[in-house]
């Protein structure tokens, strides 16, 4: 009997140890932005279906949740901020995972209590002895009369110890602070963290410049910096704002060629070929010798209109005018691409 | 001692059953919208007649923003005459706006031809972004916005004449 108890206890301990090692040995992989977006969507309820997460539901509303999560993530917002933005519209109902540690402890405690009760019941009962099952009256009598046989309290103690070990191991795993936790091994995704930091800086710069411009709306230096900050962004909205600022800057001093190339590149990035071409013509009028003119003429001809002949002619003019320009390798590559495309 | 052990079953099972009964029986539509008392989420959408409607067009006037769909039957069909009636009665005091929820414009136009077009703007929320901004669970859902642009009430499910009248009173519209 005692050997069986030892086998039971040892098995429990070995299983807990294996589980802990397995959790620790999980490879720590930095999540991609897509995986992060999916993980956040999995914590949000699909708005128009019962009991599915936004990550798992095929409805339009769930797709929109996923799209918005990815968008907010790209804008540098944290998981908590993103989830809060949904709670602000739907209430706590939208959360699939409860906030705070208390609800997470319930299954741990329930498991421990279950293990305790099961062990007590199984081993405790075995302690009453084999042979024909005694009737309830006999059992009561036995319990009341004789002192309990030795293995029974031992069994209970062992079962309790196993339950405590099990609960303890799970609680330690869940409750350790983030970097040590067995439940969530987080590795900072370096490139993503840098992108986020840069985006936060950019937004701060924009705020600061907008503040300056409120005091002095015609400050060319602030306008120029603001245009640069918008151009550093990647959304259509950023490009549109950059174009508006640059047009304002050009309006202040139409003969200054500096803002023109920036405006053209904003149009090119937004694939607005008509405005890009018109601005290039305007630049050619005030600065005919600028290598930016053939540079953008070629870019617009090739990227915008797939017109290889015009593009190659313009790229050659650029290479003649500015053989030492930093953009020469890029233009050589584009020229090659256009030459290959025209054949 | 032995008898006490049997008490565990009802002591555990009854509260557990009660918690599950309360929790699972709850209707999510009973949750009050967190938007109440907040400014209406902004939108700028194309309408079915080719124009545009934006939240800033609604400034200075109470508004009723109604999310609906042609496939939402019978609830949206039941609700439609109530809205038509409101447009006829108090259309000069309140701006009605329909927002399509996960719907095809062609199907929505067919719905309006069949059940009557009250002439208020019908916005096409093609990707569902506006529904998400308003925390819509499913059509029909209706938001009542006062003249200051603050959301004052939200109704889940089809409106009746009586409920609509009560909500309109909350945003300062009286017949």
């Amino acid at each position: 009997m005692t050997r069986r108890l030892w086998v039971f206890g040892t098995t429990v301990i070995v299983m807990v140890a294996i589980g802990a090692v397995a959790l620790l040995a999980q490879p720590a992989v930095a999540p991609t932005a897509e995986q992060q977006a999916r993980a956040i969507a999995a914590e949000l309820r699909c708005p128009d279906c019962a009991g599915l997460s936004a990550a798992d539901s095929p409805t339009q509303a769930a797709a929109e949740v996923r799209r918005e999560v990815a968008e907010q993530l790209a804008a540098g917002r944290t998981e908590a901020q993103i989830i809060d933005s949904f709670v602000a519209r739907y209430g706590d109902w939208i959360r699939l995972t409860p906030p705070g540690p208390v609800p997470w402890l319930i299954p741990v405690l329930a498991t421990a209590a279950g293990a305790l009760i099961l062990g007590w019941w199984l081993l405790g009962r075995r302690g009453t002895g084999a042979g024909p099952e005694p009737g309830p009256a006999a059992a009561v009598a036995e319990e009341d009369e004789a002192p309990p046989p030795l293995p029974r309290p031992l069994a209970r103690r062992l079962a309790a110890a196993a339950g405590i070990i099990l609960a303890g191991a799970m609680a330690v795993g869940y409750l350790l602070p983030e970097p040590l936790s067995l439940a969530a091994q987080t590795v900072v995704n370096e490139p993503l963290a840098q992108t986020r930091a840069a985006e936060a800086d950019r937004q701060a710069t924009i705020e600061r410049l907008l503040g300056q411009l409120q005091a002095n709306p015609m400050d060319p230096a602030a306008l120029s910096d603001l245009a640069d900050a918008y151009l550093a962004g990647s959304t259509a909205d950023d490009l549109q704002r950059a174009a508006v600022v640059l047009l304002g800057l050009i309006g202040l001093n139409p003969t200054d060629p500096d803002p023109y190339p920036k405006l053209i590149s904003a149009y090119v990035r937004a694939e607005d070929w008509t405005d890009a071409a018109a601005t290039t013509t305007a630049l050619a009028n005030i600065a005919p010798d600028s290598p930016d003119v053939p540079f953008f003429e070629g870019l617009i001809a090739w990227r915008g209109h797939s017109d290889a002949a015009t593009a190659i002619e313009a790229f050659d003019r650029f290479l003649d005018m500015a053989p030492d320009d930093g953009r020469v390798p890029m233009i050589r590559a584009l020229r090659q691409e256009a030459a290959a495309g025209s054949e | 001692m032995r008898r006490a052990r049997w008490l565990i079953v009802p002591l555990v099972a009854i509260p557990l059953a009660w918690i599950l009964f309360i929790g699972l029986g709850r209707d999510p539509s009973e949750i009050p919208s967190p938007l109440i008392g907040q400014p209406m989420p902004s939108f700028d959408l194309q309408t079915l007649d080719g124009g545009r409607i934006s939240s800033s067009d609604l400034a200075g006037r109470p508004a009723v923003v109604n999310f609906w769909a042609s496939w939402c039957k019978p609830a949206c069909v039941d609700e439609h005459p109530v809205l038509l009636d409101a447009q006829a009665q108090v259309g000069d005091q309140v701006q009605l706006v329909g927002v399509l929820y996960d719907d095809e414009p062609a199907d929505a136009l067919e719905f309006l031809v069949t059940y009557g077009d009250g002439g208020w703007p019908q916005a096409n929320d093609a990707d569902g972004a506006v529904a998400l901004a308003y925390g819509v669970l499913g059509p029909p859902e209706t938001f009542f916005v006062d003249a200051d642009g603050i959301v004052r009430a939200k109704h889940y499910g089809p409106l009746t004449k009586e409920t609509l009248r009560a909500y309109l009173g909350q945003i300062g519209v009286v017949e």
Side-chain angles (χ1 to χ4, degrees), chain A residues 56 144 211 240 270:
Chain A
D56 299 320
D144 287 347
Q240 209 169 1

Side-chain angles (χ1 to χ4, degrees), chain A residues 227-310:
Chain A
D228 287 344
Y230 280 134
L231 282 175
S234 52
T235 66
D237 191 47
D238 283 320
L239 294 173
Q240 209 169 1
R241 284 162 193 261
V244 170
V245 174
L246 288 163
L247 283 169
L249 205 54
I250 289 171
L252 284 178
N253 185 3
T255 54
D256 174 13
D258 283 351
Y260 285 86
K262 289 178 187 169
L263 181 57
I264 302 167
S265 78
Y267 284 139
V268 166
R269 281 170 62 195
E271 302 192 0
D272 176 355
W273 308 111
T274 316
D275 282 326
T279 315
T280 308
T281 309
L283 176 63
N285 285 333
I286 56 164
D289 297 332
S290 163
D292 286 323
V293 175
F295 174 82
F296 283 116
E297 278 175 359
L299 207 58
I300 294 163
W302 177 235
R303 282 281 160 80
H305 309 297
S306 304
D307 177 354
T310 311

Side-chain angles (χ1 to χ4, degrees), chain B residues 113-128:
Chain B
V113 169
T114 311
Y115 298 104
D117 184 355
W120 63 85
Q122 299 290 355
N124 183 20
D125 180 24
D127 56 6

